[in-house]
Amino acid sequence: MTHSDDAARLRKQGYRLTPQRLTVLEVVKRSGKHLTAEDVHDAIVPQHPYINIATVYRTLQWLQEVGLVAPLASVTSPLRYEYVRGEAHHHLVCQDCGYEQEIGDDMLAMLKSQLQARYAFSAQLNHLAIPGRCAACQSAAESAAHAHEEHSL
């Protein structure tokens, strides 16, 4: 969906599109990655110094409410946002090196189903960050532990 498609859809739904909203949306959409509110603000300020950080936070919240951006919460980093493109997905995030791997929503289908069946709970598992350790960091940690064991002998 193009920038103008997003704007047309929102206008059709009765939303007011301010220059600030359009600017924040454009920055997030153009980046192709997850951005914090501060990242968005830093990208905007050179061209639009009148847009303050509070406006960016409010706009990101509004864009989330209308379904154009999705937040990604992580225990190891601040809340980040990405433009919603197509299929729902989630992220595996290495707590050691920051590596991220996208995974499809189908990976959580069984969990959602089990939560519904066992607890009659309809989980809203949208755009999750699942913390852990990537293969490279696991290997490095195992090598370090092995070296420490050999050194201790």
Side-chain angles (χ1 to χ4, degrees):
M1 185 177 288
T2 67
H3 182 66
S4 58
D5 291 342
D6 291 330
R9 180 175 65 88
L10 291 170
R11 282 190 183 103
K12 187 176 180 180
Q13 293 174 353
Y15 293 109
R16 195 170 137 251
L17 295 177
T18 63
Q20 294 88 342
R21 286 178 172 179
L22 291 172
T23 301
V24 170
L25 174 60
E26 184 61 29
V27 167
V28 175
K29 189 173 185 176
R30 189 179 58 231
S31 79
K33 59 182 183 175
H34 297 90
L35 300 174
T36 64
E38 289 77 12
D39 294 334
V40 174
H41 186 251
D42 291 347
I44 290 172
V45 167
Q47 289 78 33
H48 306 284
Y50 60 89
I51 297 179
N52 64 40
I53 190 70
T55 299
V56 172
Y57 275 106
R58 283 191 307 273
T59 302
L60 287 168
Q61 179 63 40
W62 179 79
L63 289 169
Q64 179 184 340
E65 290 168 9
V66 299
L68 288 177
V69 301
L72 182 65
S74 169
V75 294
T76 59
S77 63
L79 189 62
R80 296 175 293 149
Y81 297 86
E82 85 173 328
Y83 180 74
V84 174
R85 291 176 169 81
E87 296 289 319
H89 65 275
H90 309 281
H91 300 265
L92 304 177
V93 181
C94 180
Q95 293 175 293
D96 291 348
C97 71
Y99 169 78
E100 288 186 23
Q101 173 69 51
E102 282 189 12
I103 61 171
D105 193 49
D106 60 314
M107 295 292 290
L108 298 179
M110 185 180 293
L111 175 60
K112 291 177 188 179
S113 175
Q114 289 177 349
L115 291 171
Q116 182 64 46
R118 185 175 294 176
Y119 303 104
F121 185 81
S122 177
Q124 300 302 311
L125 304 177
N126 302 319
H127 205 236
L128 296 179
I130 302 169
R133 188 179 272 168
C134 71
C137 289
Q138 287 178 64
S139 179
E142 289 169 6
S143 294
H146 184 67
H148 179 70
E149 287 174 9
E150 287 181 356
H151 182 71
S152 297
L153 297 176

